[in-house]
Amino acid sequence: MSQPFALERQLGLSAARRACALTSSVFNKLVKNETLTKGDKSPVTVGDYAAQALISSMLKNAFPADPIVGEEDAADLRAEEGKVLRDRIVELANEALVAPLVEGDKPEWGIGPGQAKSAAELLDAIDRGNYDGGRTGRMWTIDPIDGTKGFLRGEQYAVCIALLVDAQVQLGIIGCPNLPVDPAQPDGERGCLFVAVLGQGCHQIPLSGTSSTPLHMPTPAPSDLTTLESVEAAHSSHSTTDTISSILGITRPPIRMDSQAKYGCLARGEGGIYLRMPTGVGYREKIWDHAPGSLLVSEAGGRVTDSRGTELDFGLGRTLGENFGVVAAGREVHGRVLAAVQEATAQAKAKV
Ligand SMILES: Nc1ncnc2c1ncn2[C@@H]1O[C@H](COP(=O)(O)O)[C@@H](O)[C@H]1OP(=O)(O)O
Ligand SMILES: [Mg+2]
Ligand SMILES: [Mg+2]
Ligand SMILES: [Mg+2]
């Protein structure tokens, strides 16, 4: 008998591989007018839209009854002014859909030669990500390009896919086209997939092949600890991380990296602590920004909570509601980190 969620894992990996190829090729050809600024001032590119259209189309073919909570929606593309962008997105999504099948791909997922879709079908596929989320049933959550700012800088970004059942993450997949396969060889081969299924562990697979390496978070010596945090100071308070690091006696500088690539790196033993410290503006974290990453870390032997030590709750809708920030670390380190977070917060309050 096959393992639970074997087909979902296979489809998710195929979709992530195709989306990674799509977004890499977009980066190499991106022209200035192919990026929009959304209502919340964040950037979105033809790559984000095309990758969501691709992943959502594949999910619909394989699991037509499953709803999707996706980051993007097609409203701006349906407007007359969106025509140039829309045509480009249709071209990119179709290039990815008709790419030849590789090992593990199934033609019934709507991929392979002759599987191109119309513009209307692809816009509808993007909008299938409009599900509100919630506590019960199966649902997917996708972030077609997580860390769009990193993507635009040519740095780290991630294609993120997760399956939730009754608000519990069962499957998490993160594709990182720009991430070195071996952290010890930063100038070596790039392009990694991370995959975790609840109770089945966490694995890394190179984008160039199918070999699967199990990941287990090591117990780092205190002198080896470093924090992983956002590049963008608006996403995570760098000064709070500095205070926490000094309380913990960490002397190494933080590793700054965009996107959920941080969770993948943590799962394979880099840094030892992922900190996402609230900046005080009441930002609500989105479920697609943490669902796959949190499973990678917990399946690799780590623990993930919000900045106050509360479990992340994926059942409240499209956001994580009252969860603020993230603290992720190995199980034996996490408690110490949380105590340092509390001390740093108390120090900051005493200063006001
Ligand atoms: N004020 C904010 N605080 C925390 N995260 C944010 C904030 N604004 C945007 N984000 C999200 O953080 C994610 C990137 O994480 P990181 O900083 O770890 O690279 C993106 O998904 C981004 O959303 P968006 O996709 O809308 O840009
Ligand atoms: Mg995104
Ligand atoms: Mg994101
Ligand atoms: Mg975005």
Side-chain angles (χ1 to χ4, degrees), residues 94-113:
N94 276 329
E95 256 173 44
L97 283 166
V98 305
L101 297 175
V102 296
E103 197 191 311
D105 284 348
K106 292 181 184 289
E108 59 265 34
W109 295 339
I111 48 175

Side-chain angles (χ1 to χ4, degrees), residues 13 36 50 59 80 92 133 195 317:
L13 285 171
L36 289 180
L59 288 174
E80 188 47 37
L92 287 165
V195 55

Side-chain angles (χ1 to χ4, degrees), residues 3-15 59 62-63 66 109 138 140 161 163 165 171 173 195 197:
Q3 296 261 53
F5 302 107
L7 192 59
E8 288 85 347
R9 180 184 190 276
Q10 198 179 339
L11 172 113
L13 285 171
S14 169
L59 288 174
F63 304 107
D66 288 354
W109 295 339
R138 269 172 68 108
W140 295 81
I161 304 173
L163 172 69
V165 181
L171 165 70
I173 294 174
V195 55
V197 179

Side-chain angles (χ1 to χ4, degrees), residues 249-337:
I250 294 173
T251 49
R252 296 183 176 208
I255 302 170
R256 293 203 174 128
M257 190 185 287
D258 299 281
S259 85
Q260 287 180 73
K262 290 187 279 296
Y263 282 112
C265 289
L266 183 68
R268 70 183 184 183
E270 289 175 72
I273 304 169
Y274 167 22
L275 289 176
R276 189 176 193 83
M277 287 299 119
T279 54
V281 297
Y283 177 77
R284 303 260 168 184
E285 298 288 346
K286 308 298 188 295
I287 64 168
W288 54 81
D289 282 328
H290 301 286
S294 61
L295 187 66
L296 296 183
V297 169
S298 59
E299 283 297 314
R303 181 159 148 69
V304 183
T305 64
D306 83 349
S307 58
R308 294 174 299 192
T310 311
E311 298 300 320
L312 300 187
D313 186 349
F314 294 100
L316 292 168
R318 292 172 67 86
T319 77
L320 285 167
E322 294 296 314
N323 285 136
F324 294 106
V326 171
V327 172
R331 289 204 181 103
E332 63 299 327
V333 182
H334 190 274
R336 225 160 19 97
V337 179

Side-chain angles (χ1 to χ4, degrees), residues 149-150 153 229-242 254-259 262 275-283 285:
K149 289 186 175 166
R153 282 190 246 102
E229 69 174 351
S230 296
V231 173
E232 300 291 331
H235 296 180
S236 178
S237 166
H238 290 173
S239 57
T240 312
T241 299
D242 284 347
I255 302 170
R256 293 203 174 128
M257 190 185 287
D258 299 281
S259 85
K262 290 187 279 296
L275 289 176
R276 189 176 193 83
M277 287 299 119
T279 54
V281 297
Y283 177 77
E285 298 288 346

Side-chain angles (χ1 to χ4, degrees), residues 71 143 145-148 260 288-289:
E71 181 185 353
D143 189 342
I145 295 185
D146 179 36
T148 309
Q260 287 180 73
W288 54 81
D289 282 328

Side-chain angles (χ1 to χ4, degrees), residues 38 42-43 48 71-72 148:
K38 296 201 282 191
S42 67
D48 301 61
E71 181 185 353
E72 312 301 346
T148 309

